[in-house]
Amino acid sequence: MPQLRIAAAQVNTRVGDLSGNADLIVEWTRKAAEQGAHLVVFPEMALTGYPVEDLALRESFTDASKAALASLATRLADSGCGALAVYVGYLDADEAGPRNAAAVLHEGRIAATQFKHHLPNYGVFDERRYYKPGQTLDIVQLHGVEIGMVICEDLWQDGGPITALGQTGVDLVVSPNASPYEKNKDDQRLPLVARRAAEAGAPLVYLNLIGGQDELVFDGDSIIVSADGSVVTRAPQFVEHLLITDMSFPGGRERTEGQVGEFTVRRVTLSADPVPTYEPLPLPPVAEPLPEEAEVWFALVTGLRDYVHKNGFRSVTFGMSGGIDSAVVAALAADALGGSAVYGVSMPSSYSSEHSKDDAADLAKRIGSHYEVQPIGAMVDVFVNQLGLNGLAEENVQARCRGVTLMGLSNQHGHLVLATGNKTELAVGYSTIYGDAVGGFAPIKDVPKTLVWQLARWRNAEAEKLGEIPPIPENSITKPPSAELRPGQLDTDSLPDYELLDDILDEYVESDRGRSDLLARGFSAEVIDKVLTMVDRAEYKRRQYPPGTKISLKAFGRDRRLPITSGWREG
Amino acid sequence: MPQLRIAAAQVNTRVGDLSGNADLIVEWTRKAAEQGAHLVVFPEMALTGYPVEDLALRESFTDASKAALASLATRLADSGCGALAVYVGYLDADEAGPRNAAAVLHEGRIAATQFKHHLPNYGVFDERRYYKPGQTLDIVQLHGVEIGMVICEDLWQDGGPITALGQTGVDLVVSPNASPYEKNKDDQRLPLVARRAAEAGAPLVYLNLIGGQDELVFDGDSIIVSADGSVVTRAPQFVEHLLITDMSFPGGRERTEGQVGEFTVRRVTLSADPVPTYEPLPLPPVAEPLPEEAEVWFALVTGLRDYVHKNGFRSVTFGMSGGIDSAVVAALAADALGGSAVYGVSMPSSYSSEHSKDDAADLAKRIGSHYEVQPIGAMVDVFVNQLGLNGLAEENVQARCRGVTLMGLSNQHGHLVLATGNKTELAVGYSTIYGDAVGGFAPIKDVPKTLVWQLARWRNAEAEKLGEIPPIPENSITKPPSAELRPGQLDTDSLPDYELLDDILDEYVESDRGRSDLLARGFSAEVIDKVLTMVDRAEYKRRQYPPGTKISLKAFGRDRRLPITSGWREG
């Protein structure tokens, strides 16, 4: 039976960085070659990064992508990796328009090219805006093994390219993906991949990107399954990883060419003779998906680290208030960048409690960050007195003087400002635009308040397990939340209890349920109307919020695209 | 020959305001009925407003739209308008998903419903994200006249629904549209409409929305053409208008039903007998499209007025610096809202020149606005001294103290803050985030600097023609532009000459041309690289800019969707 050593390179690319991504592909192909692999698979659009958005519409960029692919083929051969079949996702373009494409590079040439068939255009995806769909299936024969390919969404289609590959006959299917992290998405992926392998009648290599890209985080979770759908190996989430597996192929399936359903099948032979029979490596371990809080935590850490580093920053600054939100942001930042890259600023006003300042200082010590105190009293006084402000206008000036302070320190010292707002307060508009909403990245923008507390407790417990100092002061977790913008103020003065609030938001925002559904679920009309009105009014503020870790789903954080000017009110 | 009196209601709807839009439809149908019309056409999605974005994905909203349509049919009949065929765009949904739909209301019933076939998914359109395409063509017979319908993008398709209507046989085609304003778009519309009428072999009623909706402005420019493509009548731009025309129809064309190409043709008879022959009204006048500057000016005024009013504001405030940008914003605001709804604030620093303050005061007097002076020196001093800021950090603090001042006054008095930045400075990042970029609406965000000057001169000349006081002080137009954030600062210290800069931006941003194209056009490598680097770095700032009049094209202002984290640099 023909054998192949298959490598799946779960890497972290950067959008638009054609030369950096090419270097990465050469480096990981070399690693695969050193381990004797015959083919190596990279993620969807690995050469350009994903998603390139409107860059796909720039001819200079599509030209550069095509040129980079050709030169990558040469470089791989020059690096002694020419014998490997290297599957590389890239951006192509022809007379029909841009294409989401994957190529097989071999012996210095582009041996085959396939365009994505099914273009997702929902949630975080806008691919019909950019790409024209492909109609061909390019099947490559490598050492006597017939290898078909499907790109990401093509795998999710019932009766799609996988069915066609099953009909035309292949020994192996490889699938480059850029599948953004969603809470519990790993539970969906494995059954899907298993089912598709069975439909194709062939083992399937599912390879996904890792890393943060603006609002998205990719978690990896690459999987190799056998023809019967059983898991051969699975990669850990959120880390770069090379999965290497030996497989042998029974062969003997009937093979067709030409039209299969809506697809044109093209077959290319790279090498017909099987490799001499060899002893397979021991099976690699099957990584377990991370438990719930750990998965979310690493998604947030990954999104934050990549946003900072890929944008050329080395350090971050933000307001350390002593509250739970900024404490969790601080712990995330310390995990992502190291405590020495974190510059916490306490900005007390006359309404700030003594314990808040103590908790902030305690936090900085626990995570090993820099810490300074910049009271805002003198700044606030000038605005309030000169402009004659009171009430909400006075409260907002406090938050805005903090924003100006952080941006001043950022401009002077080069730190990226983080906004510390959570998803719940953003959803209901409980924040000050140009105030606490200031920042280039908002690490917990997609985390509801109740999950913020849950993550804090989980992170502290993890530290205790390892005998480390828990990063978050207990007091920040247990005290009742307050914006401290007027004497004795508590969040519960303006908002329902957070448990109740998050339950309603989950129904209304995440699940798109309406007022009558909420009533049917037993929430009171009074609290429903209060929350829905707050959410509808907050849309405008949310639009002005800086980009953050956008983790794209249900119960976790898909952003809505809603009109700002709207007469629609639920109910 | 059968006759019909046709009314085309070019109205201004509001997204999500189902009851307000229904009122509007009843009111304008009554006007049409009073003038003896037999049918009246409203714009695309008139009942829901356009575009509803993710509201289309909320079941509670699609349910509400369908219920509103049914109750509108009843109301129209109850109001004595039951005999008219009323074409109303609305949001439908069935088991396949949401639909961009238009219905014919008649005698209290929904007599016919057609779904849009071609869903635009480029530029400002995301319709494939929301809607499923229709497959039917509903042809209604009214007083013996067979009337086909196509919704907006369906009209732009070669070999599309219009071709099918031509094959199946109709006497008249009506087309409800929501076609956003672009510079010179009226030059494209008329030849298109004329060509399609000829293809259908029938007169065509092209009816477009007017008004501002968040980033979009609709200009109307509704047109009725005869079967040979010649213009019968044309509505003025940017105003609500009822076009009324009598037409007679030769009839005698062959008529088919059932499948025509990809479409299923359904025919519904409302009334087979022609109306008794009557004397047609005199032909209404054919409005001339506005000249270039006037068209842009009214687009900006319309976008600003509707953003303010549809969001429930009555007044605006912004920094009046004495410079050209804030002067043009002031003149636009006074034209849109009246001078008494405009609250100008002069916020001089120690670097502000005497002439700047004089020019600002002069401007306020010319447009009849409120005016106050709030020096920022004391505020800036506290930040600069306490935080130890200098250089760019110090310059930015000045802009941010102005932002906090305007937001404080907004919170205290309820004015909407306008950001006064122009497209050129936004494109190259020559602005301060959370500083001069503060504001809920940015009226000239899509106007390049050179066009700002051109508009200022045009507006003053128009005033002189009418014997009015020119709104913009001559000095604001002629003096060299300066941010006045340090002594003697001029824009040209940091930027190329604006004529040159706007030429390069037009190529690079609007036309998506690359570095080599720019070199070929004769720009110097030095200036190209400087500008391109500034634009690429400014993308991040632009993303945080508030929504503004988005006028969607070439040489005027389509926003790009680009990754913030990107390694791509042109060249």
Side-chain angles (χ1 to χ4, degrees), chain B residues 321 347-357 398 402 483-484:
Chain B
S321 70
M347 295 173 284
S349 74
S350 51
Y351 306 126
S352 297
S353 58
E354 213 45 56
H355 68 75
S356 289
K357 294 176 241 179
Q398 296 172 57
R402 292 188 176 118
E484 296 195 336

Side-chain angles (χ1 to χ4, degrees), chain B residues 322-547:
Chain B
I324 186 66
D325 295 328
S326 61
V328 167
V329 166
L332 287 166
D335 282 0
L337 311 166
S340 63
V342 175
Y343 291 77
V345 187
S346 164
M347 295 173 284
S349 74
S350 51
Y351 306 126
S352 297
S353 58
E354 213 45 56
H355 68 75
S356 289
K357 294 176 241 179
D358 295 346
D359 293 341
D362 181 21
L363 168 68
K365 215 160 139 188
R366 286 166 178 266
I367 64 168
S369 75
H370 306 268
Y371 181 67
E372 68 179 282
V373 181
Q374 294 289 356
I376 58 166
M379 305 154 181
V380 171
D381 285 349
V382 182
F383 284 102
V384 168
N385 296 333
Q386 181 174 327
L387 303 175
L389 306 179
N390 52 46
L392 191 65
E394 184 183 347
E395 290 185 31
N396 283 335
V397 159
Q398 296 172 57
R400 293 197 180 110
C401 284
R402 292 188 176 118
V404 175
T405 297
L406 290 172
M407 287 304 296
L409 295 171
S410 166
N411 287 160
Q412 191 74 32
H413 304 295
H415 317 305
L416 180 73
V417 176
L418 301 181
T420 57
N422 64 66
K423 183 182 178 76
T424 305
E425 65 185 33
L426 288 171
V428 296
Y430 194 66
S431 68
T432 300
I433 185 165
Y434 314 124
D436 52 317
V438 158
F441 193 76
I444 59 169
K445 151 179 184 288
D446 284 303
V447 185
K449 186 79 174 188
T450 48
L451 184 55
V452 173
W453 276 307
Q454 192 185 335
L455 289 173
R457 288 197 194 92
W458 171 85
R459 182 63 187 82
N460 275 2
E462 286 296 296
E464 272 165 11
K465 274 190 215 162
L466 298 168
E468 295 169 356
I469 301 167
I472 298 163
E474 192 57 27
N475 203 28
S476 297
I477 301 178
T478 52
K479 68 185 170 189
S482 164
E484 296 195 336
L485 294 173
R486 59 173 188 263
Q489 185 180 30
L490 290 179
D491 289 8
T492 44
D493 299 345
S494 314
L495 302 175
D497 177 80
Y498 277 113
E499 293 284 344
L500 174 61
L501 180 54
D502 279 352
D503 281 349
I504 294 178
L505 292 175
D506 190 45
E507 300 280 346
Y508 183 59
V509 178
E510 307 299 338
S511 305
D512 274 329
R513 296 216 172 81
R515 187 175 182 275
S516 55
D517 302 310
L518 286 159
L519 281 171
R521 275 171 172 72
F523 298 106
S524 82
E526 192 193 1
V527 72
I528 293 172
D529 290 339
K530 179 175 178 169
V531 173
L532 269 48
T533 303
M534 290 174 90
V535 173
D536 291 343
R537 295 210 172 126
E539 283 299 335
Y540 165 65
K541 270 192 192 172
R542 297 179 60 220
R543 286 282 189 101
Q544 301 207 14
Y545 207 75

Side-chain angles (χ1 to χ4, degrees), chain A residues 213-255:
Chain A
Q213 172 64 42
D214 295 350
E215 297 185 304
L216 301 175
V217 175
F218 299 90
D219 62 326
D221 188 31
S222 301
I223 310 170
I224 300 180
V225 296
S226 59
D228 65 3
S230 58
V231 178
V232 176
T233 181
R234 189 168 189 172
Q237 290 173 281
F238 301 111
V239 289
E240 292 199 316
H241 189 83
L242 192 67
L243 274 181
I244 303 238
T245 316
D246 282 305
M247 285 200 158
S248 47
F249 304 89
R253 292 188 59 183
E254 212 172 300
R255 279 150 199 193

